[in-house]
Amino acid sequence: MKTLKIVLYSLIVLGVVIPALGAEFAFHGDMNHRFLLYTNRSDWLDSEQQGKIHDKKVDDYYGELKYRFWFEAASNDGNTKGVYAIEIGGIRFGETTQGGSFSGDDVNVETRWAYLDMQIPGVDTKAKFRMGLQPFKVNKYLWQETIAGVDYTGAPRDTFNYQLSWMRGVDEIPREPANNVRDQDNLLLRLNFMPSDDLTVGLFGLWQFGSPASTEPPGTITPRLYELKRFAGDVDLDVLTLGIDGGTTFDNIFVNWDLMLQTGSIDDAEIDDSDYSGNSRTGDFDLSANFIHLDVGLKSGKNKFTFTFWRASGDGNAADGDFDGFLSTDVDIDDNIGIFEGLYTDDNTYFTERPYMLDKGFIMTKLAWDRQATEKLKYGGALMYMLTAEDIKYTDSNSVSRSNDEIGFEIDVYLKYMLYKNLEFAINAGFLVAGDALDAFEVGRIKDGTADENIYGSSCRFRYKF
């Protein structure tokens, strides 16, 4: 009885104090339970491009959970808001290292977001400063992830808004005079134009620069880790990406586009391609790369049909002084199951998170169909053909030089159903008919220029969001 009185008293006090503070509080959650129903190639779907293809199948199935909760505290005038989010991610049932096994004892909670959103006094009410660890997006195929920094947005007109950002990828405090510290910075300028309700055009420039301490050896870059976050701070970076993206609609027809050009330099680096061409080189490299993506679609009743094409440029010679492969910073691409993060168990079971393979780029042609059958039920599928922009070069088991670019054909299907208002059940499956380029990843069998194993995966999830 005494405990109940204390609880009631606390609630009464909070009910009085919170309005007096002039604050509004909100609590949100995303509770995601995912199951890898089956894959025949768990060795291939090994995150961060570690995947290999063994002589025999590597079957797997498992369950996992991923929870994210976030708390918002905002002033009732809307001028200030603080956000803090925690996450436990990709904990497989029975995993002993992250608390998924007996007794559940382990440290597995991470800070996902921690930032302050505030209006600038005396400036347009649509101008906002966001500072701290925050979600950050430049472009889906270039950079879309959490990072710490400062972001300023403004919207002087309904048809125009802008974004200025400084994000720090790597930081090191100098402790000696004239110490060349290991910092890496990212500056973004974005302009978005909305001349009409059915047309959006974005222009952006992202400058990424930084260098390691002068006493550090050259940083190593491998084709499997060809992503800027993997070597930022280890090499001398000076990279500029210019892009245009957007979309438009004409009655039931829609078009989305992304076009990016990259230039600059990556110096004091060692490129190690010993796993494939056998080439390596240490020194300075010039970067010249590009990326193009296009969606053209039609909405007809409950159906949507989409044609997609994208091409990320690739690097054809690791030993020259150029990087020609398009370079993402930090992304999560889920456009298919056999290569990307299309399985719902996307923390642990995928080949690559970036929109290309190795440093060889990527070409994809895709036809997709989606049907919103009822308010609760949606299903669809996709057929795609995939290549690398430059051949994957390797030496086979008979010391013969091989060169292939075909990743293969893939078919994916999915179904989503809302069991309750905020609870979704979803299931999907994908089958990749392997092209001969995957022969380069085979181990334990004779590499002969021909792919020997197809790739299958299926998953489901129960996801409660509030």
Side-chain angles (χ1 to χ4, degrees):
M1 190 61 153
K2 183 177 180 181
T3 302
L4 178 60
K5 289 180 180 180
I6 294 174
V7 171
L8 291 174
Y9 179 76
S10 299
L11 291 174
I12 293 171
V13 170
L14 286 173
V16 173
V17 172
I18 290 175
L21 292 175
E24 297 179 357
F25 298 89
F27 180 68
H28 304 278
D30 182 350
M31 306 171 71
N32 200 352
H33 302 83
R34 300 97 67 89
F35 298 87
L36 178 65
L37 299 177
Y38 173 71
T39 180
N40 66 333
R41 291 260 62 107
S42 183
D43 53 342
W44 168 253
L45 298 172
D46 191 357
S47 57
E48 307 305 343
Q49 296 193 149
Q50 300 178 87
K52 299 177 181 179
I53 299 175
H54 288 86
D55 184 26
K56 297 180 180 179
K57 293 192 302 181
V58 182
D59 301 334
D60 196 19
Y61 65 93
Y62 61 82
E64 68 175 16
L65 61 91
K66 184 174 184 176
Y67 282 12
R68 182 179 298 172
F69 298 106
W70 62 101
F71 175 78
E72 297 178 357
S75 59
N76 54 18
D77 58 10
N79 292 334
T80 308
K81 181 175 72 173
V83 177
Y84 179 68
I86 61 173
E87 178 179 301
I88 53 175
I91 299 178
R92 299 191 307 279
F93 302 172
E95 185 177 14
T96 58
T97 59
Q98 292 192 24
S101 186
F102 300 107
S103 301
D105 296 329
D106 220 313
V107 178
N108 51 30
V109 178
E110 64 179 91
T111 296
R112 181 63 178 175
W113 305 323
Y115 64 87
L116 176 67
D117 221 333
M118 61 174 287
Q119 182 187 333
I120 308 304
V123 181
D124 176 16
T125 56
K126 294 182 180 180
K128 295 282 187 179
F129 252 129
R130 176 181 288 183
M131 60 192 76
L133 185 66
Q134 58 190 277
F136 179 63
K137 179 179 180 180
V138 179
N139 179 277
K140 171 185 174 181
Y141 301 98
L142 177 64
W143 192 357
Q144 183 175 335
E145 250 296 353
T146 298
I147 186 73
V150 179
D151 183 67
Y152 178 67
T153 57
R157 297 193 301 273
D158 292 339
T159 59
F160 170 70
N161 61 60
Y162 60 89
Q163 179 182 3
L164 294 167
S165 307
W166 166 63
M167 300 293 160
R168 172 150 283 187
V170 178
D171 182 87
E172 188 172 278
I173 299 175
R175 299 301 186 188
E176 299 177 5
N179 182 217
N180 184 14
V181 297
R182 185 178 179 261
D183 292 343
Q184 192 276 315
D185 292 292
N186 309 271
L187 301 179
L188 171 68
L189 169 62
R190 172 179 271 277
L191 309 175
N192 295 314
F193 302 89
M194 294 76 68
S196 65
D197 292 338
D198 53 11
L199 176 62
T200 301
V201 179
L203 303 174
F204 62 88
L206 175 67
W207 182 28
Q208 301 176 275
F209 57 93
S211 59
S214 56
T215 57
E216 294 291 327
T220 300
I221 300 173
T222 70
R224 284 185 178 263
L225 298 178
Y226 189 71
E227 189 177 26
L228 191 139
K229 73 174 182 180
R230 300 296 168 189
F231 50 79
D234 296 330
V235 301
D236 192 344
L237 280 175
D238 188 1
V239 175
L240 176 65
T241 304
L242 301 175
I244 177 171
D245 53 23
T248 187
T249 59
F250 309 93
D251 295 326
N252 293 325
I253 299 173
F254 62 90
V255 181
N256 302 309
W257 62 82
D258 303 272
L259 174 63
M260 289 174 276
L261 302 175
Q262 287 183 326
T263 186
S265 62
I266 301 175
D267 297 337
D268 197 23
E270 178 188 7
I271 178 67
D272 180 5
D273 195 29
S274 55
D275 288 343
Y276 300 100
S277 68
N279 295 325
S280 62
R281 183 180 185 275
T282 301
D284 299 339
F285 299 83
D286 294 325
L287 175 66
S288 179
N290 58 79
F291 180 93
I292 183 171
H293 163 263
L294 179 68
D295 287 332
V296 179
L298 170 67
K299 295 181 179 179
S300 177
K302 296 181 178 181
N303 300 294
K304 182 175 72 171
F305 304 92
T306 308
F307 168 80
T308 297
F309 172 83
W310 90 56
R311 183 184 188 278
S313 65
D315 192 86
N317 185 354
D320 64 12
D322 299 315
F323 280 139
D324 301 315
F326 178 74
L327 184 63
S328 292
T329 298
D330 193 2
V331 293
D332 294 286
I333 303 299
D334 61 359
D335 286 66
N336 75 7
I337 285 174
I339 305 294
F340 302 126
E341 296 181 271
L343 288 168
Y344 298 131
T345 51
D346 54 6
D347 275 41
N348 296 290
T349 310
Y350 61 92
F351 177 75
T352 180
E353 65 181 13
R354 61 216 74 163
Y356 46 82
M357 285 190 68
L358 309 177
D359 59 345
K360 305 308 177 188
F362 196 75
I363 300 173
M364 183 164 79
T365 303
K366 178 179 180 181
L367 293 173
W369 165 61
D370 303 276
R371 179 175 174 82
Q372 188 72 54
T374 68
E375 183 179 351
K376 293 185 176 181
L377 177 63
K378 182 179 181 180
Y379 52 83
L383 178 66
M384 62 210 79
Y385 178 58
M386 298 170 288
L387 305 161
T388 53
E390 298 289 341
D391 286 357
I392 299 177
K393 299 176 181 178
Y394 63 100
T395 301
D396 72 8
S397 300
N398 296 313
S399 300
V400 176
S401 296
R402 298 287 184 177
S403 182
N404 289 301
D405 64 357
E406 186 181 32
I407 300 170
F409 290 91
E410 181 169 339
I411 182 169
D412 293 345
V413 294
Y414 76 92
L415 179 147
K416 297 180 180 180
Y417 185 75
M418 297 302 298
L419 297 171
Y420 299 103
K421 181 179 179 180
N422 296 321
L423 178 60
E424 176 199 71
F425 167 76
I427 185 170
N428 67 4
F431 186 76
L432 171 61
V433 181
D436 287 342
L438 297 194
D439 182 58
F441 301 92
E442 292 182 1
V443 296
R445 72 159 69 234
I446 296 176
K447 293 184 181 181
D448 56 3
T450 302
D452 297 297
E453 296 289 346
N454 300 320
I455 297 161
Y456 173 79
S458 178
S459 64
C460 73
R461 72 182 177 200
F462 293 85
R463 188 174 193 179
Y464 177 52
K465 300 175 70 175
F466 62 89

